Amino acid sequence: MTNMNSNRIGDSYVRLQSISQHLPPVVSTLYKLSTLDSNKLNNLIDSQILTPTVTLKEIVDELNPPSTKTKPISIVLEMDSTVDEDTLQEIIDSLDNYKKVIEVKMSQEVKNILNI
């Protein structure tokens, strides 16, 4: 695999040579850099990420920032069979006050109780 890395790095010699003052002396990191287009390399230089001490992990983290998309939280309310229709309706109505942030999914059994 090192030979393959070296070939890829060698193929990118002209491009990498022009920014050699920013390059780290680690083959795996050089290989990753050799796979990047010029725009990404320039962005790494401009953001001062690409330095002789940069690690492969730092480059990968910069190129692939963690997702800021939040995962929804699921909360399940379980009620026993003693819950009456009025209480159930009151709970659902109170949750409706938060409809911008809460999605209420009702089981068929709940829909039956509420005649929905």
Side-chain angles (χ1 to χ4, degrees), residues 26-71:
V26 179
V27 172
S28 58
T29 308
L30 287 173
Y31 175 76
K32 177 64 177 175
L33 293 170
S34 72
T35 66
L36 302 179
D37 63 45
S38 295
N39 288 333
K40 287 184 181 176
L41 283 173
N42 290 335
N43 288 341
L44 289 172
I45 292 169
D46 292 344
S47 62
Q48 298 180 344
I49 298 295
L50 188 53
T51 66
T53 59
V54 71
T55 65
L56 179 56
K57 181 182 180 335
E58 291 169 328
I59 291 171
V60 170
D61 288 349
E62 181 69 19
L63 295 174
N64 306 306
S67 175
T68 57
K69 184 177 179 181
T70 58
K71 285 178 83 173

